[in-house]
């Protein structure tokens, strides 16, 4: 890597914590670590380090990626799920932070309110990583940018990406802010009632003015996806959210489904598809069958045809969670 940036001791709470150069540095480091792992000569830079994983909501990829990344690098993790934590219940967040900060070298938090991650970082005295909150998902967007670097022919500042669906989400937020920082053409296609928070959209536009990027938010799917290199979406239902109670929202989102027609609207035969998972794309799960009984069709935000197509990058994204998270750990904790 030509440029080394010192991120030791830093927390990662939101993608806005990182500058353009810091994002690119982490992507380059992630690529190096991925290559080293595949070639079997990974240098273990986190020997003796300990990391607490505090999860208030379920996880597959986030937990596994932090666990394997730490193991590969010689660190030890302790997983603390909802039954094993008094966080914010019997114990104040700042008290948990100060106790764990004396035992661990870093803390990863996956939960709901961003304010909890912020308070952990304020009091822990060690780096705190946001594994997902309602507002932000920084390690996912780093993995997505790494995936784009691997699969697209052009530089990231030449990429046009459109996020479709419920844009009041952490993924819409990180695409807007992260994409703007990298000078990308970032578009949102969503019903007006489900557009991103105003403060996030305004921040993204301000960043894009300085980076040469573009931010475009519209209700018009055809206008949004035209000429895009990547279409991205996320689940329309949160884990455990009752589908019937969300019927009006789901019905308003059906025109924003990513299907073969949406992909054709890009006019780009090499357009790719991204989704951070889990996805409602078929009736192959109990949730999918339940939704199919209540709504027309066998899929919600993406069809099986697109999800399983050669355009789909979803499992490359899933793997790259490991490498992106490992880069964050090495950069902030490594010797």
């Amino acid at each position: 890597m030509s440029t080394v940036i010192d991120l030791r001791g830093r927390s990662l709470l939101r993608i806005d914590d990182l500058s353009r150069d810091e994002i690119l540095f982490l992507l380059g480091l992630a690529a190096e670590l991925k290559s080293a792992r595949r070639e079997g000569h990974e240098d273990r830079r986190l020997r003796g380090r300990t990391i607490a994983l505090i999860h208030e909501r379920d996880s597959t990829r986030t937990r596994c990626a932090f666990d394997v990344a730490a193991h590969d690098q010689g660190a030890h993790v302790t997983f603390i799920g909802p039954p094993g934590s008094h966080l914010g219940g019997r114990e104040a967040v700042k008290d948990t932070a100060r106790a764990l900060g004396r035992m661990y070298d870093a803390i990863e938090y996956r939960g709901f309110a961003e304010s909890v991650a912020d308070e952990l970082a304020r009091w822990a005295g060690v780096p705190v990583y946001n594994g997902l909150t309602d507002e932000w998902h920084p390690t996912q967007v780093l993995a997505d940018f790494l995936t784009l670097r691997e699969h697209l022919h052009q530089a990231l500042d030449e990429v046009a990406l459109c996020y479709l669906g419920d844009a009041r989400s952490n993924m819409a937020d990180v695409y807007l802010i992260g994409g703007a920082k990298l000078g990308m053409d970032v578009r949102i296609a969503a019903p007006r009632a489900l557009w991103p928070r105003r403060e996030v959209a305004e921040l993204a536009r301000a960043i894009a003015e300085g980076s040469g990027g573009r931010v475009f938010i519209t209700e018009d799917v055809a206008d949004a996806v035209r000429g895009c290199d990547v279409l991205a979406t996320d689940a329309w239902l949160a884990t455990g959210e009752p589908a019937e109670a969300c019927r009006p929202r789901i019905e308003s989102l059906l025109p924003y489904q990513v299907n073969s027609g949406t992909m054709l609207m890009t006019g780009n035969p090499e357009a790719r598809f991204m989704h951070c998972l889990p996805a409602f794309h078929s009736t192959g799960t109990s949730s999918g069958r339940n939704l199919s009984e209540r709504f027309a069709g066998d899929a919600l935000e993406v069809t099986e045809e697109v999800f399983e197509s050669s355009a789909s990058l979803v499992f490359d994204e899933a793997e790259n969670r490991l490498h992106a998270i490992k880069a964050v750990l090495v950069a902030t904790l490594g010797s």
Side-chain angles (χ1 to χ4, degrees), residues 121-134:
R122 187 177 304 118
W123 292 97
V126 297
V128 172
Y129 313 117
N130 181 346
L132 175 143
T133 60
D134 289 340

Side-chain angles (χ1 to χ4, degrees), residues 11-324:
S11 291
L12 177 57
L13 302 176
R14 49 182 63 80
I15 196 65
D16 192 39
D17 290 342
L18 299 172
S19 68
R20 173 186 177 277
D21 288 345
E22 288 168 343
I23 293 172
L24 293 175
F25 166 72
L26 287 172
L27 298 181
L29 178 58
E32 287 188 358
L33 292 167
K34 182 174 183 177
S35 178
R37 187 177 197 262
R38 287 185 169 179
E39 294 169 9
H41 57 72
E42 190 167 351
D43 183 17
R44 304 183 107 196
R45 306 185 214 181
L46 300 179
R47 290 190 190 92
R49 297 292 197 177
T50 54
I51 304 167
L53 310 181
I54 304 175
H55 283 211
E56 293 190 304
R57 62 202 295 175
D58 291 338
S59 166
T60 300
R61 283 153 295 279
T62 301
R63 178 180 177 179
C64 294
F66 269 98
D67 203 336
V68 175
H71 178 271
D72 283 353
Q73 284 290 310
H76 173 77
V77 302
T78 300
F79 177 75
I80 306 169
S85 170
H86 300 307
L87 186 70
R90 291 185 59 191
E91 183 171 61
V93 173
K94 68 179 183 178
D95 294 352
T96 297
R98 287 179 287 186
L100 294 184
R102 294 184 178 215
M103 302 177 193
Y104 291 90
D105 297 297
I107 298 168
E108 179 260 343
Y109 171 75
R110 178 182 172 92
F112 299 95
E114 179 68 24
S115 59
V116 176
D118 292 343
E119 192 163 5
L120 284 170
R122 187 177 304 118
W123 292 97
V126 297
V128 172
Y129 313 117
N130 181 346
L132 175 143
T133 60
D134 289 340
E135 295 89 348
W136 301 105
H137 201 355
T139 61
Q140 179 66 57
V141 80
L142 289 174
D144 288 0
F145 289 158
L146 177 62
T147 305
L148 294 181
R149 275 189 22 151
E150 293 172 342
H151 288 275
L152 298 185
H153 304 299
Q154 65 269 50
L156 290 175
D157 61 4
E158 298 173 342
V159 170
L161 179 150
C162 181
Y163 175 93
L164 300 97
D166 187 346
R168 301 172 307 167
S169 72
N170 49 30
M171 286 309 300
D173 289 351
V174 293
Y175 282 134
L176 280 169
I177 302 300
K181 285 195 175 240
L182 294 179
M184 294 170 60
D185 178 351
V186 185
R187 310 170 189 182
I188 301 289
R192 186 174 291 270
L194 301 178
W195 280 9
R197 292 172 288 156
R198 177 175 294 180
E199 60 269 28
V200 172
E202 290 177 351
L203 176 59
R205 289 190 177 100
I207 294 170
E209 285 182 9
S211 69
R214 177 178 184 255
V215 170
F216 177 53
I217 302 174
T218 180
E219 293 183 283
D220 189 324
V221 172
D223 199 19
V225 304
R226 189 177 299 114
C228 275
D229 303 293
V230 186
L231 302 187
T233 191
D234 195 2
W236 294 349
L237 288 174
T239 302
E241 191 175 17
E244 197 57 41
C246 302
R247 178 177 288 276
R249 187 175 84 225
I250 292 174
E251 290 176 348
S252 75
L253 286 167
L254 287 173
Y256 299 89
Q257 181 187 75
V258 181
N259 50 45
S260 58
T262 323
M263 298 296 288
L264 283 171
M265 282 185 207
T266 66
N268 180 0
E270 297 184 357
R272 300 304 188 103
F273 169 73
M274 302 184 86
H275 193 306
C276 64
L277 301 180
F280 291 101
H281 59 91
S282 73
T283 57
T285 64
S286 58
S287 295
R289 289 188 292 274
N290 184 44
L291 289 167
S292 179
E293 292 172 1
R294 287 167 168 76
F295 301 97
D298 295 335
L300 288 186
E301 71 272 8
V302 59
T303 61
E304 177 84 347
E305 181 181 14
V306 171
F307 186 88
E308 295 292 354
S309 73
S310 59
S312 177
L313 302 178
V314 295
F315 296 108
D316 296 273
E317 293 175 77
E319 178 193 347
N320 281 338
R321 291 295 303 284
L322 166 62
H323 309 299

